[in-house]
Amino acid sequence: MNVYDSARMGDVLRPLGYAPVDAPDQADMIILNTCHIRDRAAEKVFSELGRLRLIKEARKEAGHGTIIAVAGCVAQAEGEEILARAPYVDIVLGPQTYHRLPEMVARAARAGGRIIETEFPAEQKFDFLPESEAPQTPGNLTAFLTIQEGCDKFCSFCVVPYTRGAESSRPVASVLAEARRMVASGVREISLLGQNVNAYHGEGPDGGIWGLARLAYALAEIPGLARIRYTTSHPRDMDEALIAAHRDLPQLMPFLHLPVQSGSDQILRAMNRGHTADEYRDLVRRLREARPDLALSSDFIVGHPGESDADFEATMALVRDTGFALAYSFKYSPRPGTPAAGAGMQVPEDVKDSRLQALQQLLRQQQDAFNQTMVGQSVPVLFTGTGRKPGQIAGRSPWLQPVHVQGDPALIGQEIMVRITERLSNSLGGIVEEEKEYA
Ligand code: 5AD
Ligand code: SF4
């Protein structure tokens, strides 16, 4: 989402005459767009700011001013501290106020004062942002589109409800208009974004409230839009309508990021996730019934406060039962202000390390096994650019696997059937079966 937000900040600043440059030392303004989800996010920001300070000083000696802004969730959570510790920072703004950037820049340039905007404004930023420019992705063939932001779930470990704020959804008409503009500019694949994207409940053109499923059916009617993805989902918001959409809509890719975090009921309860491990298993079963080629990816946290060896074993068991095509796994890291950070029974670092290693080994095996099943199969690949070797073109399978073939660059931008012939460590190789768009 930060990639999308950064592009939108570019959109909002363009009318003021700002345009991207190749390196920070050429920039009149530098915005550091930050993430606060894990680890020592704030420290990373301060060390990056140290580098930017040198750039600002060198530019000043050459007679150029530089505005330094810190945006995103670290700014939201630690704005005051940033201003106190980094006197060369001019603007601190949270993720919900970047539509006001032009005004902040004007104020900073005019008065030379320092500005902090980290409240949650009553207005929705999307109502104030200019229309997005062509998406900032390779070849403009795939694009992100934020449809929902914030979260009301308050998982014990997570800062998102505090930094991104309460759940809110963009109206259907605004999402469809942005999607149509993207497709008109050549986009073939849209990834709908939201911290809780399947909790989407946007105001429809008919005055009713639309869920994600209904939105997906409407998007699927846009001619030329070959692929729709969405991320990231919560198991509790996976309703029957959305499962049915996976059965009905060929454009909805058979790849779902559905984080489970843990396989232990006790830890799921402590995490405030609102479902059990068996409920997750059952949900996966229903999804696969609807769309047999559906592959799953997930996030896992090891070492949440209170996690015993048996709890961790339950996570390993859930992974073995489910089979993930891809997964992201993390050691629990306490986030300031979250309930789990203050909880007793914190798990020692070395225990977290060994659990993470065991889990990642299992997940890696599953990922390799999944990729291996592709060898010998014919799969549609949306080609998005040239490959690393001469004569190669590259794209992705429906399951997000990078695929490369020897092929005509004229195929870039099309979805083409490819016979997979080999599995490399993180990608697949194949040969073009038929040089015509797969329908
Ligand atoms: N510690 C470790 N991992 C976390 N995540 C979120 N908060 C924390 C935390 N405090 C992980 C979750 C989430 C992903 C985006 O980041 O697995 O799904
Ligand atoms: Fe964080 Fe996701 Fe839980 Fe919301 S549902 S609190 S974003 S982990």
Side-chain angles (χ1 to χ4, degrees):
M1 189 173 282
N2 272 13
V3 172
Y4 178 86
D5 285 345
S6 298
R8 301 308 307 267
M9 288 185 218
D11 293 336
V12 91
L13 290 169
R14 204 166 285 111
L16 277 70
Y18 285 98
V21 289
D22 294 327
D25 61 359
Q26 302 161 13
D28 298 319
M29 171 155 63
I30 300 169
I31 305 177
L32 203 56
N33 194 12
T34 62
C35 176
H36 204 220
I37 192 81
R38 284 180 300 273
D39 288 322
R40 289 174 283 278
E43 271 121 274
K44 281 188 235 162
V45 170
F46 284 110
S47 77
E48 192 62 35
L49 279 175
R51 271 194 287 278
L52 296 184
R53 172 196 198 157
L54 299 178
I55 291 175
K56 183 168 178 158
E57 284 168 1
R59 280 176 53 87
K60 191 172 178 190
E61 268 168 39
H64 304 297
T66 313
I67 296 176
I68 296 185
V70 183
C73 290
V74 176
Q76 184 67 41
E78 313 201 19
E80 296 290 351
E81 192 178 344
I82 293 171
L83 285 183
R85 276 177 60 183
Y88 44 91
V89 168
D90 304 283
I91 300 173
V92 167
L93 70 155
Q96 302 309 337
T97 52
Y98 63 74
H99 57 294
R100 297 183 183 169
L101 254 174
E103 182 198 322
M104 296 180 219
V105 172
R107 268 161 53 207
R110 192 173 52 231
R114 307 178 72 206
I115 293 155
I116 178 162
E117 291 245 16
T118 49
E119 81 280 31
F120 291 106
E123 82 265 13
Q124 273 248 3
K125 65 173 178 268
F126 291 112
D127 295 339
F128 292 84
L129 288 170
E131 288 187 358
S132 52
E133 287 276 307
Q136 316 283 306
T137 47
N140 287 353
L141 291 162
T142 63
F144 293 134
L145 202 176
T146 294
I147 63 167
Q148 182 280 340
E149 267 190 277
C151 183
D152 295 337
K153 298 248 175 358
F154 292 93
C155 297
S156 60
F157 51 83
C158 184
V159 283
V160 165
Y162 311 96
T163 54
R164 285 267 171 182
E167 211 174 78
S168 76
S169 299
R170 287 174 71 181
V172 171
S174 136
V175 171
L176 291 180
E178 188 165 346
R180 286 197 196 97
R181 280 198 302 276
M182 285 174 165
V183 174
S185 79
V187 167
R188 304 294 320 275
E189 171 180 309
I190 292 180
S191 295
L192 305 172
L193 301 182
Q195 273 85 31
N196 235 292
V197 75
N198 61 339
Y200 178 81
H201 56 284
E203 191 189 324
D206 51 4
I209 296 295
W210 288 30
L212 180 60
R214 198 159 169 204
L215 182 69
Y217 284 94
L219 286 164
E221 285 183 10
I222 301 179
L225 181 56
R227 295 180 165 189
I228 303 168
R229 304 180 185 277
Y230 60 92
T231 197
T232 184
S233 295
H234 195 294
R236 256 163 68 192
D237 293 315
M238 222 49 232
D239 60 13
E240 286 306 323
L242 195 49
I243 296 175
H246 277 282
R247 185 190 58 223
D248 297 344
L249 297 175
Q251 293 96 326
L252 202 52
M253 287 295 99
F255 181 87
L256 180 62
H257 185 63
L258 192 63
V260 64
Q261 315 293 359
S262 166
S264 150
D265 286 345
Q266 205 171 308
I267 293 301
L268 287 168
R269 205 175 317 118
M271 287 177 164
N272 193 31
R273 292 289 292 177
H275 64 82
T276 63
D278 279 346
E279 281 163 354
Y280 185 85
R281 287 183 176 91
D282 184 59
L283 177 57
V284 168
R285 186 187 52 72
R286 286 185 287 134
L287 278 158
R288 284 179 170 153
E289 231 167 63
R291 180 86 206 224
D293 61 347
L294 187 95
L296 287 160
S297 100
S298 179
D299 294 338
F300 295 92
I301 296 177
V302 300
H304 183 276
E307 187 186 71
S308 66
D309 285 340
D311 292 321
F312 176 66
E313 268 316 308
T315 298
M316 295 290 275
L318 179 88
V319 172
R320 278 187 217 105
D321 296 349
T322 310
F324 291 95
L326 190 69
Y328 305 90
S329 45
F330 314 102
K331 287 191 284 182
Y332 167 73
S333 68
R335 310 312 291 133
T338 57
M345 296 170 59
Q346 297 286 335
V347 175
E349 231 20 60
D350 59 330
V351 176
K352 288 187 202 171
D353 280 329
S354 62
R355 287 181 189 166
L356 187 68
Q357 213 186 345
L359 176 61
Q360 289 188 336
Q361 197 183 347
L362 176 59
L363 290 167
R364 182 77 228 180
Q365 279 167 13
Q366 293 196 339
Q367 183 179 337
D368 289 347
F370 176 72
N371 289 342
Q372 191 64 39
T373 63
M374 296 289 139
V375 177
Q377 285 199 55
S378 295
V379 302
V381 174
L382 177 62
F383 286 106
T384 51
T386 50
R388 253 182 275 156
K389 296 197 185 135
Q392 272 187 352
I393 55 172
R396 291 203 183 242
S397 76
W399 305 277
L400 279 181
Q401 296 143 312
V403 180
H404 56 82
V405 302
Q406 289 292 317
D408 185 350
L411 298 180
I412 294 169
Q414 298 184 52
E415 207 179 18
I416 300 285
M417 287 307 282
V418 169
R419 175 163 293 269
I420 303 299
T421 53
E422 60 172 346
R423 171 177 75 85
L424 305 164
S425 58
N426 284 307
S427 65
L428 301 171
I431 47 173
V432 169
E433 283 213 311
E434 205 181 355
E435 294 210 355
K436 92 178 195 332
E437 174 108 329
Y438 154 87

Coordinates of all heavy atoms in Angstrom, one line a residue, residues 141-145 179 182-183 186-192 216 219-230 249-255 291 293 374 378-384 394-403 413-418 420 437-439:
L141 N 1.4 -2.5 -16.8 CA 0.5 -3.6 -17.1 C -0.2 -4.1 -15.9 O -1.3 -4.7 -16.0 CB 1.2 -4.7 -17.8 CG 1.7 -4.3 -19.2 CD1 2.8 -5.2 -19.7 CD2 0.5 -4.3 -20.2
T142 N 0.4 -3.9 -14.7 CA -0.2 -4.4 -13.5 C -0.3 -3.1 -12.6 O 0.6 -2.3 -12.6 CB 0.6 -5.5 -12.8 OG1 1.9 -5.0 -12.5 CG2 0.7 -6.7 -13.7
A143 N -1.3 -3.1 -11.8 CA -1.4 -1.9 -10.9 C -2.1 -2.2 -9.6 O -2.9 -3.2 -9.5 CB -2.3 -0.8 -11.6
F144 N -1.7 -1.4 -8.6 CA -2.4 -1.5 -7.3 C -3.5 -0.5 -7.3 O -3.4 0.6 -7.9 CB -1.4 -1.1 -6.2 CG -0.3 -2.1 -6.0 CD1 1.0 -1.7 -5.8 CD2 -0.6 -3.5 -5.9 CE1 2.0 -2.6 -5.6 CE2 0.5 -4.4 -5.7 CZ 1.8 -3.9 -5.5
L145 N -4.6 -0.8 -6.5 CA -5.7 0.1 -6.4 C -6.2 0.0 -4.9 O -6.8 -1.1 -4.6 CB -6.8 -0.2 -7.4 CG -7.8 0.9 -7.8 CD1 -8.7 0.4 -8.9 CD2 -8.6 1.4 -6.7
A179 N -10.4 2.2 -11.8 CA -10.0 0.9 -12.5 C -10.2 1.1 -14.0 O -9.3 0.7 -14.8 CB -10.9 -0.2 -12.0
M182 N -7.3 3.0 -15.4 CA -6.1 2.2 -15.4 C -6.1 1.3 -16.6 O -5.1 1.2 -17.4 CB -6.0 1.3 -14.2 CG -5.6 2.1 -12.9 SD -5.8 1.0 -11.5 CE -4.8 2.0 -10.3
V183 N -7.3 0.7 -16.9 CA -7.4 -0.3 -18.0 C -7.2 0.5 -19.3 O -6.6 0.1 -20.3 CB -8.7 -1.1 -18.0 CG1 -8.9 -1.9 -19.2 CG2 -8.7 -2.0 -16.7
G186 N -3.8 0.9 -20.3 CA -3.1 -0.3 -20.7 C -2.9 -1.4 -19.6 O -2.4 -2.5 -19.8
V187 N -3.5 -1.1 -18.4 CA -3.4 -2.1 -17.3 C -4.2 -3.3 -17.6 O -5.3 -3.2 -18.0 CB -3.8 -1.4 -16.0 CG1 -4.0 -2.5 -14.9 CG2 -2.8 -0.4 -15.5
R188 N -3.6 -4.5 -17.4 CA -4.3 -5.8 -17.6 C -4.6 -6.5 -16.3 O -5.4 -7.4 -16.3 CB -3.4 -6.7 -18.4 CG -2.9 -6.2 -19.8 CD -4.1 -6.0 -20.8 NE -5.1 -7.0 -20.9 CZ -5.1 -8.1 -21.6 NH1 -4.1 -8.4 -22.3 NH2 -6.2 -8.9 -21.6
E189 N -3.9 -6.1 -15.2 CA -4.1 -6.8 -13.9 C -4.2 -5.7 -12.8 O -3.3 -4.9 -12.7 CB -3.0 -7.7 -13.7 CG -3.0 -8.3 -12.3 CD -1.8 -9.3 -12.0 OE1 -1.6 -10.2 -12.8 OE2 -1.2 -9.1 -11.0
I190 N -5.3 -5.8 -12.0 CA -5.4 -4.9 -10.9 C -5.4 -5.7 -9.6 O -6.1 -6.7 -9.4 CB -6.7 -4.1 -11.0 CG1 -6.6 -3.1 -12.2 CG2 -7.0 -3.3 -9.7 CD1 -7.8 -2.2 -12.4
S191 N -4.6 -5.2 -8.7 CA -4.6 -5.8 -7.3 C -5.3 -4.8 -6.4 O -4.8 -3.7 -6.2 CB -3.1 -6.0 -6.8 OG -2.5 -7.0 -7.6
L192 N -6.4 -5.2 -5.9 CA -7.2 -4.4 -5.0 C -6.5 -4.4 -3.6 O -6.2 -5.5 -3.1 CB -8.6 -4.9 -4.9 CG -9.3 -5.0 -6.2 CD1 -10.7 -5.7 -6.0 CD2 -9.5 -3.6 -6.8
A216 N -16.1 -7.2 -7.2 CA -15.4 -8.0 -8.1 C -16.2 -8.3 -9.4 O -15.6 -8.3 -10.5 CB -14.9 -9.3 -7.4
L219 N -16.1 -5.3 -11.6 CA -14.8 -5.1 -12.2 C -14.6 -6.1 -13.3 O -14.0 -5.7 -14.3 CB -13.7 -5.3 -11.1 CG -13.5 -4.1 -10.1 CD1 -12.7 -4.6 -8.9 CD2 -12.9 -2.9 -10.8
A220 N -15.1 -7.3 -13.1 CA -14.9 -8.3 -14.1 C -15.6 -7.9 -15.5 O -15.3 -8.5 -16.5 CB -15.4 -9.6 -13.6
E221 N -16.5 -7.0 -15.4 CA -17.2 -6.5 -16.7 C -16.4 -5.5 -17.5 O -16.8 -5.1 -18.5 CB -18.5 -6.0 -16.3 CG -19.5 -7.1 -16.0 CD -20.9 -6.7 -15.7 OE1 -21.2 -5.6 -16.0 OE2 -21.6 -7.6 -15.3
I222 N -15.3 -5.0 -16.9 CA -14.4 -4.1 -17.6 C -13.7 -4.8 -18.7 O -12.8 -5.7 -18.4 CB -13.4 -3.3 -16.7 CG1 -14.2 -2.6 -15.6 CG2 -12.6 -2.4 -17.5 CD1 -13.3 -1.9 -14.6
P223 N -14.0 -4.5 -20.0 CA -13.3 -5.2 -21.1 C -11.8 -4.9 -21.1 O -11.4 -3.8 -20.8 CB -13.9 -4.6 -22.4 CG -15.1 -3.8 -22.0 CD -14.9 -3.5 -20.5
G224 N -11.0 -6.0 -21.2 CA -9.5 -5.8 -21.3 C -8.9 -6.1 -19.9 O -7.7 -6.3 -19.9
L225 N -9.7 -6.0 -18.8 CA -9.1 -6.3 -17.5 C -9.0 -7.9 -17.4 O -10.0 -8.5 -17.2 CB -9.9 -5.7 -16.4 CG -9.4 -6.0 -15.0 CD1 -7.9 -5.5 -14.9 CD2 -10.2 -5.3 -13.9
A226 N -7.8 -8.4 -17.5 CA -7.7 -9.9 -17.6 C -7.6 -10.5 -16.2 O -8.1 -11.6 -16.0 CB -6.4 -10.2 -18.3
R227 N -7.1 -9.8 -15.2 CA -6.8 -10.4 -13.9 C -7.2 -9.4 -12.8 O -6.8 -8.3 -12.8 CB -5.3 -10.8 -13.8 CG -4.9 -11.8 -14.8 CD -3.4 -12.1 -14.6 NE -3.1 -13.4 -15.2 CZ -2.0 -14.0 -15.1 NH1 -1.0 -13.5 -14.3 NH2 -1.7 -15.2 -15.7
I228 N -7.8 -10.0 -11.8 CA -8.1 -9.3 -10.6 C -7.6 -10.1 -9.4 O -7.8 -11.3 -9.3 CB -9.7 -9.1 -10.4 CG1 -10.3 -8.4 -11.6 CG2 -10.0 -8.4 -9.1 CD1 -11.8 -8.5 -11.6
R229 N -6.9 -9.3 -8.5 CA -6.4 -9.9 -7.3 C -6.8 -9.0 -6.1 O -7.1 -7.9 -6.3 CB -4.9 -10.0 -7.2 CG -4.3 -10.8 -8.4 CD -2.7 -10.8 -8.3 NE -2.1 -11.5 -9.4 CZ -2.0 -12.8 -9.6 NH1 -2.4 -13.6 -8.6 NH2 -1.4 -13.3 -10.7
Y230 N -6.7 -9.5 -4.9 CA -7.0 -8.6 -3.8 C -6.2 -9.1 -2.6 O -5.9 -10.3 -2.4 CB -8.5 -8.6 -3.4 CG -9.1 -9.9 -3.1 CD1 -9.2 -10.3 -1.7 CD2 -9.7 -10.7 -4.0 CE1 -9.8 -11.5 -1.4 CE2 -10.3 -11.9 -3.7 CZ -10.3 -12.3 -2.4 OH -10.9 -13.5 -2.1
L249 N -15.9 -16.3 -11.4 CA -15.2 -15.2 -12.1 C -13.8 -15.8 -12.5 O -12.9 -15.9 -11.7 CB -15.0 -14.0 -11.3 CG -16.3 -13.2 -10.9 CD1 -15.9 -12.0 -10.0 CD2 -17.0 -12.7 -12.2
P250 N -13.6 -16.0 -13.8 CA -12.3 -16.5 -14.3 C -11.2 -15.4 -14.1 O -10.1 -15.7 -13.9 CB -12.5 -16.8 -15.8 CG -13.8 -16.3 -16.1 CD -14.6 -16.0 -14.9
Q251 N -11.6 -14.1 -14.0 CA -10.7 -13.0 -13.9 C -10.1 -13.0 -12.4 O -9.0 -12.4 -12.2 CB -11.3 -11.7 -14.1 CG -11.7 -11.4 -15.6 CD -13.1 -11.8 -15.8 OE1 -13.7 -12.7 -15.2 NE2 -13.7 -11.0 -16.7
L252 N -10.9 -13.5 -11.5 CA -10.4 -13.5 -10.1 C -9.4 -14.6 -10.0 O -9.7 -15.8 -10.1 CB -11.6 -13.8 -9.2 CG -11.5 -13.3 -7.7 CD1 -11.1 -11.9 -7.6 CD2 -12.9 -13.5 -7.0
M253 N -8.1 -14.2 -9.7 CA -7.0 -15.2 -9.8 C -7.2 -16.2 -8.6 O -7.6 -15.9 -7.5 CB -5.7 -14.5 -9.7 CG -5.3 -13.7 -10.9 SD -5.0 -14.8 -12.4 CE -6.6 -14.7 -13.2
P254 N -6.8 -17.5 -9.0 CA -7.0 -18.6 -8.0 C -5.8 -18.6 -7.0 O -5.2 -19.6 -6.8 CB -6.9 -19.8 -8.9 CG -6.1 -19.4 -10.0 CD -6.3 -18.0 -10.3
F255 N -5.5 -17.4 -6.5 CA -4.4 -17.3 -5.5 C -4.9 -16.4 -4.4 O -5.2 -15.2 -4.7 CB -3.2 -16.8 -6.2 CG -2.0 -16.7 -5.3 CD1 -1.2 -17.8 -5.1 CD2 -1.7 -15.5 -4.6 CE1 -0.1 -17.7 -4.2 CE2 -0.7 -15.4 -3.7 CZ 0.2 -16.5 -3.6
R291 N -13.2 -23.4 -6.0 CA -12.2 -23.2 -7.1 C -11.1 -24.2 -6.8 O -10.1 -23.9 -6.1 CB -11.7 -21.7 -6.9 CG -10.7 -21.2 -7.9 CD -11.3 -20.7 -9.2 NE -10.3 -20.9 -10.2 CZ -10.0 -20.0 -11.1 NH1 -10.6 -18.8 -11.2 NH2 -9.0 -20.2 -12.0
D293 N -8.4 -25.1 -8.2 CA -7.0 -24.8 -8.5 C -6.6 -23.7 -7.6 O -5.5 -23.1 -7.8 CB -6.8 -24.5 -9.9 CG -7.5 -23.3 -10.4 OD1 -8.5 -22.8 -9.7 OD2 -7.2 -22.8 -11.5
M374 N 3.9 -27.5 -11.2 CA 3.6 -26.8 -12.4 C 4.4 -27.4 -13.6 O 4.0 -27.2 -14.8 CB 4.1 -25.3 -12.3 CG 3.4 -24.5 -11.2 SD 1.7 -24.2 -11.8 CE 0.8 -24.5 -10.3
S378 N 0.3 -26.7 -18.6 CA 0.2 -25.5 -19.4 C -0.5 -24.4 -18.5 O -1.6 -24.7 -18.0 CB -0.7 -25.7 -20.6 OG 0.0 -26.6 -21.5
V379 N 0.0 -23.3 -18.4 CA -0.6 -22.2 -17.6 C -0.6 -20.9 -18.3 O 0.3 -20.6 -19.1 CB 0.2 -22.0 -16.3 CG1 0.2 -23.3 -15.5 CG2 1.6 -21.5 -16.5
P380 N -1.6 -20.1 -18.1 CA -1.6 -18.7 -18.7 C -0.6 -17.8 -18.0 O -0.6 -17.8 -16.8 CB -3.1 -18.3 -18.5 CG -3.6 -19.1 -17.4 CD -2.8 -20.3 -17.3
V381 N 0.2 -17.1 -18.8 CA 1.1 -16.2 -18.2 C 0.9 -14.8 -18.8 O 0.7 -14.6 -20.0 CB 2.6 -16.6 -18.6 CG1 3.6 -15.6 -18.1 CG2 2.9 -18.0 -17.9
L382 N 0.7 -13.8 -17.9 CA 0.6 -12.4 -18.3 C 2.0 -11.9 -18.4 O 2.7 -11.7 -17.4 CB -0.2 -11.6 -17.3 CG -0.4 -10.1 -17.7 CD1 -1.1 -9.9 -19.0 CD2 -1.1 -9.4 -16.6
F383 N 2.5 -11.7 -19.7 CA 3.8 -11.1 -19.9 C 3.9 -9.6 -19.6 O 3.1 -8.9 -20.1 CB 4.3 -11.5 -21.3 CG 4.7 -12.9 -21.4 CD1 3.8 -13.8 -22.1 CD2 5.8 -13.5 -20.8 CE1 4.1 -15.1 -22.2 CE2 6.1 -14.8 -20.9 CZ 5.3 -15.6 -21.6
T384 N 4.8 -9.3 -18.8 CA 4.9 -7.8 -18.4 C 6.2 -7.2 -18.7 O 6.4 -6.0 -18.5 CB 4.7 -7.7 -16.8 OG1 5.6 -8.6 -16.2 CG2 3.3 -8.0 -16.4
A394 N 9.2 -12.1 -19.7 CA 8.8 -12.6 -18.4 C 7.5 -12.1 -18.0 O 7.1 -11.0 -18.4 CB 9.9 -12.3 -17.4
G395 N 6.9 -12.9 -17.1 CA 5.6 -12.5 -16.6 C 5.2 -13.3 -15.4 O 6.1 -13.9 -14.8
R396 N 4.0 -13.4 -15.1 CA 3.5 -14.2 -13.9 C 2.4 -15.1 -14.2 O 1.6 -14.8 -15.1 CB 3.1 -13.3 -12.8 CG 4.3 -12.5 -12.2 CD 4.1 -12.1 -10.8 NE 5.2 -11.3 -10.3 CZ 6.0 -11.6 -9.3 NH1 5.7 -12.8 -8.6 NH2 7.0 -10.9 -8.9
S397 N 2.4 -16.3 -13.5 CA 1.3 -17.2 -13.6 C 0.2 -16.7 -12.8 O 0.3 -15.7 -12.1 CB 1.8 -18.6 -13.1 OG 1.8 -18.5 -11.6
P398 N -1.0 -17.4 -12.9 CA -2.1 -16.9 -12.0 C -1.7 -17.0 -10.5 O -2.3 -16.3 -9.7 CB -3.2 -18.0 -12.3 CG -2.9 -18.4 -13.7 CD -1.4 -18.4 -13.8
W399 N -0.7 -17.9 -10.2 CA -0.3 -18.1 -8.8 C 0.9 -17.2 -8.4 O 1.6 -17.5 -7.5 CB -0.1 -19.6 -8.5 CG -1.3 -20.4 -8.9 CD1 -2.4 -20.6 -8.1 CD2 -1.5 -21.0 -10.2 NE1 -3.3 -21.3 -8.8 CE2 -2.8 -21.6 -10.1 CE3 -0.8 -21.1 -11.4 CZ2 -3.4 -22.3 -11.1 CZ3 -1.4 -21.8 -12.4 CH2 -2.6 -22.4 -12.3
L400 N 1.0 -16.1 -9.1 CA 2.1 -15.1 -8.9 C 3.5 -15.6 -9.1 O 4.5 -15.0 -8.8 CB 2.0 -14.6 -7.4 CG 1.0 -13.5 -7.2 CD1 1.0 -13.0 -5.7 CD2 1.2 -12.3 -8.1
Q401 N 3.7 -16.8 -9.6 CA 5.0 -17.3 -9.9 C 5.6 -16.6 -11.1 O 5.0 -16.5 -12.1 CB 5.0 -18.8 -10.2 CG 4.5 -19.7 -9.1 CD 3.6 -20.8 -9.6 OE1 2.7 -20.7 -10.4 NE2 3.9 -22.0 -9.1
P402 N 6.9 -16.1 -10.9 CA 7.5 -15.5 -12.1 C 7.8 -16.6 -13.1 O 8.3 -17.7 -12.8 CB 8.8 -14.9 -11.5 CG 8.7 -14.9 -10.0 CD 7.7 -16.0 -9.7
V403 N 7.5 -16.3 -14.4 CA 7.7 -17.3 -15.5 C 8.5 -16.6 -16.6 O 8.2 -15.5 -16.9 CB 6.4 -17.8 -16.1 CG1 6.6 -18.8 -17.2 CG2 5.5 -18.4 -15.0
G413 N 2.3 -7.8 -22.5 CA 0.9 -7.2 -22.4 C -0.2 -8.2 -22.6 O -1.3 -7.9 -22.4
Q414 N 0.2 -9.4 -23.1 CA -0.9 -10.4 -23.3 C -0.8 -11.6 -22.4 O 0.3 -11.8 -21.8 CB -0.7 -10.9 -24.8 CG -0.9 -9.8 -25.8 CD -0.8 -10.4 -27.2 OE1 -1.5 -11.4 -27.5 NE2 0.0 -9.9 -28.0
E415 N -1.9 -12.2 -22.2 CA -1.9 -13.5 -21.4 C -1.8 -14.6 -22.4 O -2.7 -14.8 -23.3 CB -3.2 -13.5 -20.6 CG -3.1 -14.3 -19.4 CD -4.4 -14.3 -18.5 OE1 -5.5 -14.0 -19.1 OE2 -4.3 -14.7 -17.4
I416 N -0.8 -15.4 -22.3 CA -0.4 -16.4 -23.3 C -0.2 -17.8 -22.6 O 0.3 -17.8 -21.5 CB 0.9 -16.0 -23.9 CG1 0.8 -14.6 -24.6 CG2 1.4 -17.1 -24.9 CD1 0.1 -14.6 -25.9
M417 N -0.7 -18.8 -23.2 CA -0.5 -20.2 -22.7 C 1.0 -20.6 -22.8 O 1.6 -20.5 -23.9 CB -1.4 -21.2 -23.3 CG -2.8 -21.1 -23.0 SD -3.2 -21.1 -21.2 CE -3.0 -22.8 -20.9
V418 N 1.5 -21.0 -21.7 CA 2.9 -21.5 -21.6 C 3.0 -22.9 -21.1 O 2.3 -23.2 -20.1 CB 3.8 -20.5 -20.8 CG1 5.1 -21.0 -20.5 CG2 3.8 -19.1 -21.4
I420 N 5.1 -25.2 -18.9 CA 6.2 -25.1 -18.0 C 7.2 -26.3 -18.1 O 6.7 -27.4 -18.1 CB 5.7 -25.0 -16.5 CG1 4.7 -23.8 -16.4 CG2 6.8 -24.9 -15.5 CD1 5.3 -22.5 -16.6
E437 N -3.6 -14.6 -27.6 CA -4.1 -14.3 -26.2 C -5.1 -15.4 -25.8 O -5.9 -15.8 -26.5 CB -4.8 -12.9 -26.3 CG -5.6 -12.6 -25.0 CD -4.9 -11.5 -24.1 OE1 -3.7 -11.4 -24.2 OE2 -5.6 -10.9 -23.4
Y438 N -4.8 -15.8 -24.6 CA -5.6 -16.9 -23.9 C -6.9 -16.2 -23.5 O -6.9 -15.1 -22.9 CB -4.9 -17.4 -22.8 CG -5.6 -18.0 -21.7 CD1 -6.0 -19.4 -21.7 CD2 -5.9 -17.3 -20.5 CE1 -6.7 -19.9 -20.6 CE2 -6.6 -17.8 -19.5 CZ -7.0 -19.1 -19.5 OH -7.7 -19.7 -18.5
A439 N -8.1 -16.8 -23.8 CA -9.3 -16.1 -23.4 C -10.0 -16.8 -22.2 O -10.1 -18.0 -22.3 CB -10.3 -16.1 -24.6

